[in-house]
């Protein structure tokens, strides 16, 4: 049986915060605002994986109203979420993702980001991909006020044909 999931997230970019993508810190003059560490890619990937398994979403699992998740390491949240997915017998076939922001450029850090996601999802590196885009100067992302991430994840489990 295979299932596909989609995740999307957007965070404001503000001074005095770190810019994290899948736990990898990129050099930037602004970082992601959020209740947790604000890691927009980790959040989109978590939602894609949970959605594919039909196990809810990141907001239900880790509500922002819960002080336990204040400044949380979002890659740890992804590992917890993936643990629940794995418990149901799923493994990741592949994950693809796009991060859109004006700055910083993602490409120099792409291999580190892929490796971090591959480790968290217990998948081979070639099953994980990350693309960087800009918004061509348009809208809040183009003005450098926000960063957006989208992810799709295909899961598979043995023992059923539907
Ligand atoms: Mg988020």
């Amino acid at each position: 049986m295979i299932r596909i999931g989609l995740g999307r997230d957007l965070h404001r970019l503000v001074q005095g915060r770190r810019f994290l993508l899948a736990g990898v810190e990129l050099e930037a003059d602004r970082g992601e605002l959020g209740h947790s560490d604000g890691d927009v890619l980790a959040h989109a990937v978590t939602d894609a994986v949970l959605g594919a398994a039909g196990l809810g979403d990141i907001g239900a699992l880790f509500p922002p109203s819960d002080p336990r998740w204040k400044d949380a390491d979002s890659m740890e949240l992804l590992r917890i979420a993936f643990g629940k997915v794995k418990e149901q017998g799923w493994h990741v076939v592949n994950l693809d993702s796009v991060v859109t922001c004006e700055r910083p450029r993602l490409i120099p850090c792409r291999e580190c980001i892929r490796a971090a996601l591959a480790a968290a999802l217990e998948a081979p590196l070639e099953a994980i991909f990350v693309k960087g885009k800009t918004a061509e100067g348009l809208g809040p992302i183009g003005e450098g006020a926000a960063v957006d991430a989208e992810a799709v994840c295909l899961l598979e489990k043995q023992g059923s044909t539907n």
Side-chain angles (χ1 to χ4, degrees):
M1 173 163 56
I2 57 170
R3 289 282 189 268
I4 193 165
L6 170 68
R8 177 149 194 233
D9 200 16
L10 179 143
H11 280 243
R12 286 180 191 271
L13 291 173
V14 296
Q15 288 186 339
R17 296 276 298 188
R18 296 190 297 159
F19 193 111
L20 295 168
L21 293 176
V24 176
E25 184 168 355
L26 281 71
E27 206 177 311
D29 56 359
R30 293 179 182 193
E32 298 133 315
L33 190 61
H35 181 69
S36 65
D37 62 10
D39 189 329
V40 71
L41 180 59
H43 294 178
V45 169
T46 301
D47 266 348
V49 172
L50 287 171
L55 289 175
D57 62 31
I58 191 169
L61 225 56
F62 311 106
S65 55
D66 188 333
R68 264 186 305 169
W69 312 123
K70 175 144 176 52
D71 299 322
D73 172 351
S74 296
M75 288 302 281
E76 184 56 26
L77 304 186
L78 173 58
R79 284 188 284 271
I80 293 169
F82 182 63
K84 293 180 184 300
V85 169
K86 211 168 65 163
E87 267 172 29
Q88 304 293 314
W90 297 104
H91 72 270
V92 171
V93 176
N94 79 306
L95 173 103
D96 194 14
S97 59
V98 184
V99 175
T100 308
C101 63
E102 291 305 291
R103 289 176 303 276
R105 289 187 67 238
L106 172 149
I107 302 304
C109 303
R110 171 148 70 193
E111 294 313 307
C112 285
I113 295 167
R114 289 179 70 197
L117 290 173
L121 298 175
E122 301 175 26
L125 194 59
E126 61 270 20
I128 307 292
F129 207 71
V130 183
K131 296 181 285 287
K133 298 278 179 192
T134 74
E136 299 279 344
L138 296 169
I141 296 173
E143 290 161 8
V147 55
D148 174 281
E150 293 169 288
V152 287
C153 182
L154 189 69
L155 298 179
E156 182 178 40
K157 84 167 142 182
Q158 303 303 321
S160 181
T161 52
N162 61 358

